[in-house]
Amino acid sequence: MFSLSLLPLPFSSLSFLPFFTASQEPISFHLIQISSFVNSTWIQYHGSGWLDDLQIHGWNSVTDTAIFLKPWSKGNFSDVEISDLVELFRVYTFAFIREMRAHVHEFQLEYPFEIQGIAGCELHPGGAILSFLRGALGGLDFVSFRNSSCVPAPEGGSRAQLVCTLLRPYGDIFHIVKKLLYETCPRFLLGVLEVGKADLQRQVKPEAWLSSGPSPGPGRLLLVCHVSGFYPKPVWVMWMRGDQEHQDTQRGDFLPNGDGTWHLQATLDVAAGEAAGLACRVKHSSLGGQDLILHWGGSVSIAVIILTVMVLCLVIALGLALWFWRHR
Ligand SMILES: *[C@@H]1O[C@H](CO)[C@@H](O)[C@H](O)[C@H]1NC(C)=O
Ligand SMILES: *[C@@H]1O[C@H](CO)[C@@H](O)[C@H](O)[C@H]1NC(C)=O
Ligand SMILES: *[C@@H]1O[C@H](CO)[C@@H](O)[C@H](O)[C@H]1NC(C)=O
């Protein structure tokens, strides 16, 4: 819906690109703006910058300054270019809030309302970069920027058409937006990927453990496989019987840990009698092909085997000692 343009890149010189483009997922840099217009005087404004799911910029709306959350959040941009951009966003947020307030009636809006904006660019496998800008009103698509102009979203109705019509004379603004989306953003994205490479390409192994969840019903068990502390995000978790993937495996949502790693759990609802012999299998890039495999009840049976062997050894040793003692 928000594809705008494909930008050919001279990426042969970029040694880090194969890593990012080898994955099948695009990687994006985007800014998110959330403004809540509570009443005519009370406005809350949140701005942030993200590399996929990782927040790398914040915005202090009291001092109107950017917050750089990573040592490499400025990418390869000079301090001068960064402060020019911060100044541009400062002017933009001020103008945005002023214009919205001034046109509340013209835009047929009623307090309270919330406006969300997302703008950025994404690097696709193969090296193409797509830019996008979308605005939403109250959580519904409202307008987008396509081919240098404002395009109303069907969900936005006549109000979105009106907003695009009112914006049409402001060619200068469209020119700046176009430059930011198609020139600045791709350059920043490639630069930040290169400067943040060590952090972004780090590999952190998952830890995994099993537990049982609340019983789903009489005679049934909920097996839970926890996988935690891994980075990067892509991971494969399945309940297995032997080599067969159990198709009823339910995967939860990815939850962020405080240190930037991820947590995920996979559950399986089975009849109590069928739990034996099941295992949870985890594949992750950090494991170098050595999948983690946790057997349901496996630790118990291993303990039983070890205990049995130890008791047997003890009995044999005692028997031998007794035999030697008798035959002396
Ligand atoms: C706007 O909302 C704020 C916070 O809810 C409140 O303190 C303030 O009195 C409101 N102002 C008006 C003009 O309604
Ligand atoms: C983009 O705009 C240009 C000039 O206004 C026009 O010639 C072109 O056909 C448009 N492209 C698309 C995909 O709408
Ligand atoms: C930053 O890196 C990108 C990609 O390597 C490059 O195109 C750009 O010229 C570099 N410098 C600046 C200031 O953007």
Side-chain angles (χ1 to χ4, degrees), residues 4 146-149 178:
L4 283 165
R146 220 176 298 165
N147 198 18
S148 304
S149 54
K178 197 173 161 184

Side-chain angles (χ1 to χ4, degrees), residues 25 51-54 200 202-204 206 227 229-237 251-256 260-264 283-285:
E25 301 288 318
L51 205 53
D52 274 347
D53 304 310
L54 180 69
L200 294 164
R202 75 191 195 279
Q203 293 283 334
V204 188
V227 186
F230 56 91
Y231 187 89
K233 198 175 180 184
V235 71
W236 185 94
V237 186
R251 217 170 81 156
D253 293 329
F254 281 90
L255 301 174
T261 63
W262 293 95
H263 180 100
L264 182 73
K283 295 176 194 276
H284 187 258
S285 53

Side-chain angles (χ1 to χ4, degrees), residues 226-288:
H226 307 258
V227 186
S228 195
F230 56 91
Y231 187 89
K233 198 175 180 184
V235 71
W236 185 94
V237 186
M238 265 287 173
W239 278 97
M240 314 278 293
R241 183 174 299 283
D243 284 339
Q244 291 286 315
E245 293 171 21
H246 210 301
Q247 295 307 324
D248 296 333
T249 303
Q250 297 281 330
R251 217 170 81 156
D253 293 329
F254 281 90
L255 301 174
N257 287 326
D259 60 359
T261 63
W262 293 95
H263 180 100
L264 182 73
Q265 59 190 46
T267 55
L268 184 66
D269 173 355
V270 285
E274 289 170 17
L278 287 169
C280 173
R281 184 167 194 151
V282 183
K283 295 176 194 276
H284 187 258
S285 53
S286 64
L287 298 169

Side-chain angles (χ1 to χ4, degrees), residues 53-316:
D53 304 310
L54 180 69
Q55 188 182 354
I56 61 170
H57 303 130
W59 185 263
N60 183 331
S61 54
V62 178
T63 56
D64 264 349
T65 47
I67 303 162
F68 298 93
L69 298 169
K70 299 278 176 194
W72 42 267
S73 290
K74 293 181 182 175
N76 63 351
F77 280 19
S78 66
D79 285 344
V80 173
E81 187 164 16
I82 289 288
S83 62
D84 284 351
L85 284 168
V86 170
E87 182 56 28
L88 187 65
F89 287 115
R90 193 177 292 139
V91 171
Y92 159 76
T93 49
F94 180 77
F96 171 78
I97 291 170
R98 187 192 56 203
E99 293 303 312
M100 286 311 301
R101 268 175 165 164
H103 293 92
V104 162
H105 296 298
E106 202 172 347
F107 292 162
Q108 302 154 18
L109 294 166
E110 267 175 48
Y111 292 110
F113 60 90
E114 188 164 83
I115 294 180
Q116 295 153 304
I118 181 167
C121 53
E122 58 185 12
L123 172 64
H124 282 254
I129 298 191
L130 256 75
S131 298
F132 52 89
L133 186 157
R134 286 173 293 161
L137 177 64
L140 291 176
D141 279 336
F142 191 64
V143 293
S144 63
F145 183 81
R146 220 176 298 165
N147 198 18
S148 304
S149 54
C150 176
V151 179
E155 295 93 325
S158 59
R159 191 193 279 153
Q161 289 173 1
L162 176 73
V163 168
C164 281
T165 308
L166 289 170
L167 285 175
R168 201 164 292 151
Y170 299 95
D172 291 353
I173 295 177
F174 286 110
H175 186 72
I176 296 171
V177 170
K178 197 173 161 184
K179 190 159 179 275
L180 288 173
L181 284 178
Y182 297 109
E183 197 263 296
T184 314
C185 186
R187 197 160 49 81
F188 181 76
L189 173 60
L190 294 175
V192 87
L193 289 178
E194 183 154 31
V195 179
K197 183 166 65 174
D199 208 6
L200 294 164
Q201 295 184 8
R202 75 191 195 279
Q203 293 283 334
V204 188
K205 287 184 184 173
E207 277 183 44
W209 67 95
L210 305 178
S211 72
S212 52
S215 173
R220 299 201 68 83
L221 279 177
L222 187 68
L223 315 187
V224 187
C225 178
H226 307 258
V227 186
S228 195
F230 56 91
Y231 187 89
K233 198 175 180 184
V235 71
W236 185 94
V237 186
M238 265 287 173
W239 278 97
M240 314 278 293
R241 183 174 299 283
D243 284 339
Q244 291 286 315
E245 293 171 21
H246 210 301
Q247 295 307 324
D248 296 333
T249 303
Q250 297 281 330
R251 217 170 81 156
D253 293 329
F254 281 90
L255 301 174
N257 287 326
D259 60 359
T261 63
W262 293 95
H263 180 100
L264 182 73
Q265 59 190 46
T267 55
L268 184 66
D269 173 355
V270 285
E274 289 170 17
L278 287 169
C280 173
R281 184 167 194 151
V282 183
K283 295 176 194 276
H284 187 258
S285 53
S286 64
L287 298 169
Q290 301 278 309
D291 298 355
L292 291 179
I293 301 174
L294 286 88
H295 295 272
W296 181 256
S299 52
V300 174
S301 45
I302 286 170
V304 168
I305 290 168
I306 291 171
L307 208 68
T308 313
V309 169
M310 276 168 65
V311 168
L312 268 176
C313 288
L314 206 70
V315 167
I316 291 169

